[in-house]
Each structure stands twice: as structure tokens, then as C-alpha cells.
Amino acid sequence: MALKAVHVSDVPNLDQVPENALFASRFSKGIDVGKASLVKTPKFMVIGHRGNGMNLLQSTDPRLKALKENSILSFNAAAKFAVDYVEFDVQVTKDDCPIIFHDNFILSQDNGTIYEKRVTELSLSEFLSYGPQRESGLPGKALYRKMKNGRIVQWNVETDDYLCTLQEAFEKVDPSIGFNIELKFDDHIVYGHEHLTRDLQAILKVVSKFANGRSIIFSSFQPDAAIIVRQLQNTYPVYFLTDGGLCTFYDVRRNSLEEAMKLCLENGLQGIVSEVAALFRNPSAVSKIKESNLSLLTYGRFNNVTEAVYIQHLMGVDGVIVDLVQEITKAVTEQINHSEGDAKGMLGEGPMEVHSKPKFSEMDLKFLLSLISKLIQE
């Protein structure tokens, strides 16, 4: 199989996605997902991370600074390719409006001094005053971003767009594209049940009013948020996001794939979205998750490498969240979903050639997994 690898220096190091989910045009309005059950998907799914890909401002790859992440522009750009969903992060302002923004803090400058404000402590009007404005000629506050190393840079992209609300996304994004709504909460805050419920009810109010049949998946790294949103509604599937033990958190439910499975099974969640590196370290976890009747998606920098995506397909993963939307959707369409479609056969004269996916033993997969690190170094 001739799949072109992306060099590791060009692959973004995803922080928290996220990220979680499946089924465009498969989970629609009015569907009771019931108790945790394996969601059967007719094809391998591709989900655009924060739309057409996250912004990695320090990268030398122009694709990661082409369009403003988590924007209407980026969502509709992703919709031009064979994505099933776009993933984005939803937080709630202090006046109870669900908005789309990834970072916990928003940074700007005043008289040359950089300052930051917590997004959830802003009113909607304050939040929308940052970045490009809807009305031409009106200046917006300059946006900056803090890198993982603490460095602060101006948030410059080739094509910018204004910040948006969840309602606007429903109203302005191609209705054929599903939404993977990540319920975003700060990892460093212990939230009470009342606070989580209030925010989630504000989000569900918008979803209920504006979904209009769009396919939706909820996901969250916050265990209690995932549980509560599952209790508050029975229409859309809920996935638990986890890094699978790559980091250690105060909440043990976040510290392993085993804990993620336990959380899902005990609370009726439909699936897991794992950091792909955790699965590559522990391939046997995939079969355990699927045998537990849970769906499985992944996020992470390896999902921008076509070979790594194909191997996940062979392992039994249901879909991937990616930044390089155009490249990965092309590879998946040509190498995975197309061949599976061929395998179903065609009516016609003469002998029928059936293309089925290769059969790999556990030993074969282990060997392929050992090659991944070598492939992305070339």
C-alpha cells in the first residue's frame, strides 16, 4: 500500500482535543441511544479537529496557520472534504451563552502589556470583542496565545475569522456535517455538580433549539460532565475523552484506558476517544474496548500520518480526529472506505473481483506498530 508519510516535524502535537466521535447521518434527531451499546458505523470516520485543523502558531507548516481554528470559516472549509464531523470546544460565558473557544484563557494587550482573562468569566459581548469583528471597520482586540513553553505569540493566521457562538455554528455551518461537541472544562479546577449541570443545560438548550436533525456527538475529558450530559439527555451519544495514561491527573478516572472503560460501562456512555499513542503502546486495549460494546475514536499527532491511520483501521478503531483534513480524508477515501465499498460487490456481467482488507495477526500488527516511529522519521 503506497501511503505517503508526513514528516514528524510537520505533525502537530495535539494537546487536548479533542476531541470525540462518529456517525454523520447515522445518529440523527429523535434517536434514543439507550444504554451503552456498540455504535455500528458503516465506514471508517474522519473528524476535523477544531474544524479544518488546529492552529499551531510556532509550526513552520503553513497548513497549521492557514485558517482560524474553531471558526465558521474553518468548519465550512473542512466540510468541502470527506469529513463526517467537525470537532470543536464549547465553553459557557458568565451570562450563560455557549461559545466556541479552546483555551481556558484569552490573551490580548493594552498599551503594550499582555493580559489574560478566563473565558468563562467574560460576558458574551466581552468575548466577541476579541479578534476580527463582524462589522467591517470596527477594530477588535488583538488576540495572543500562550504556547506550552510559556512563550506568548500574536495569534496570526493566513485567513482570520471572528469568534463565534454555538448557535452561530448551527446556523452557518453546512448542515450535512456532524458536530462533535467537546464540553470544555479546565483541568485544574474541581467543579461541583451544580456548576456542571448549569453549563451543560445552557449547551443543551441551544442544541435542542438549533440542531434541526444535524448529527451530534458529545465528548469531554471531564468525567462528571460526561456522566451528567448523559443523564440530562438520551438523544445523542456521549464519549469520554482520555489520554489513556500518558499523563497523571488527580482524578483517577482519567489515568488509564481501563478506567475510561469502567466509567463508560457504569454510566451508559457510548464510547471512548483516546490519545492514539496510548493505543499504540497497548494495542490489546482495542479489542477489550470493542468487546465491551463501546465505540472507539482517537486523537493525537499520529493521526496526521496516513500509515498510522491505516493501521488503526486494521486494529479496529472506528475513526480518527485529524488536523490535516485534506490529506487524511483523501487517503481514507482511497485506501480504506473505497476498498470496503468494493468488497460489498457490484452487480454486472462477468466475474466479480472482490477487494477485502488484509487480514493481520496480532504478531503482524505488533510488527507494523513497531515500524510507525521509523515511518514518520523518513
Side-chain angles (χ1 to χ4, degrees), residues 53-305:
M54 71 179 291
N55 293 152
L56 201 63
L57 301 178
Q58 72 273 29
S59 174
T60 57
D61 189 336
R63 295 172 296 182
L64 301 175
K65 295 178 286 187
L67 301 174
K68 183 66 152 290
E69 70 175 36
N70 276 338
S71 67
I72 303 297
L73 180 67
S74 185
F75 301 150
N76 281 323
K80 295 177 182 178
F81 303 103
V83 295
D84 301 281
Y85 284 79
V86 288
E87 179 274 344
F88 52 77
D89 313 272
V90 173
Q91 304 184 58
V92 178
T93 62
K94 71 176 183 180
D95 49 353
D96 298 324
C97 182
I99 52 90
I100 299 177
F101 196 75
H102 174 269
D103 300 356
N104 296 315
F105 292 90
I106 198 164
L107 280 69
S108 189
Q109 65 91 19
D110 183 31
N111 293 324
T113 301
I114 301 293
Y115 67 87
E116 65 178 23
K117 292 186 177 181
R118 183 174 290 278
V119 171
T120 54
E121 294 177 355
L122 299 173
S123 67
L124 174 61
S125 61
E126 289 174 323
F127 172 73
L128 296 178
S129 69
Y130 292 88
Q133 298 297 290
R134 289 162 174 74
E135 297 182 33
S136 60
L138 289 180
K141 299 174 184 175
L143 275 175
Y144 290 77
R145 198 172 209 181
K146 183 180 290 187
M147 305 293 98
K148 284 189 173 182
N149 62 7
R151 180 181 170 219
I152 296 175
V153 299
Q154 191 158 6
W155 200 330
N156 291 325
V157 292
E158 182 178 341
T159 305
D160 212 338
D161 198 17
Y162 54 81
L163 302 182
C164 67
T165 66
L166 178 60
Q167 178 179 332
E168 287 178 303
F170 278 114
E171 294 173 335
K172 299 178 180 180
V173 175
D174 185 333
S176 69
I177 296 300
F179 283 174
N180 173 195
I181 300 175
E182 182 187 337
L183 308 168
K184 181 77 175 179
F185 295 94
D186 193 330
D187 289 338
H188 301 97
I189 294 178
V190 178
Y191 294 93
H193 188 277
E194 182 179 351
H195 180 108
L196 291 173
T197 301
R198 183 178 66 250
D199 281 2
L200 295 173
Q201 286 176 332
I203 294 169
L204 289 173
K205 183 178 179 180
V206 173
V207 171
S208 176
K209 186 174 181 179
F210 296 99
N212 195 28
R214 189 188 297 267
S215 297
I216 295 171
I217 302 163
F218 290 113
S219 61
S220 186
F221 283 101
Q222 220 291 343
D224 293 318
I227 293 170
I228 293 171
V229 79
R230 180 69 183 86
Q231 295 170 342
L232 290 174
Q233 59 84 43
N234 205 34
T235 301
Y236 305 109
V238 180
Y239 281 58
F240 181 52
L241 276 158
T242 178
D243 73 353
L246 299 181
C247 298
T248 302
F249 298 90
Y250 71 90
D251 191 329
V252 296
R253 295 174 295 180
R254 298 188 59 180
N255 289 340
S256 69
L257 287 168
E258 290 74 19
E259 286 290 339
M261 289 173 55
K262 180 180 177 182
L263 178 83
C264 291
L265 295 173
E266 290 181 351
N267 296 281
L269 275 60
Q270 283 72 35
I272 294 171
V273 185
S274 173
E275 220 293 355
V276 61
L279 295 181
F280 284 161
R281 289 184 180 185
N282 182 19
S284 63
V286 176
S287 59
K288 292 178 182 177
I289 291 170
K290 303 310 287 290
E291 288 167 4
S292 297
N293 232 24
L294 296 170
S295 294
L296 177 61
L297 303 174
T298 66
Y299 72 92
R301 64 192 182 98
F302 289 128
N303 281 355
N304 294 304
V305 181

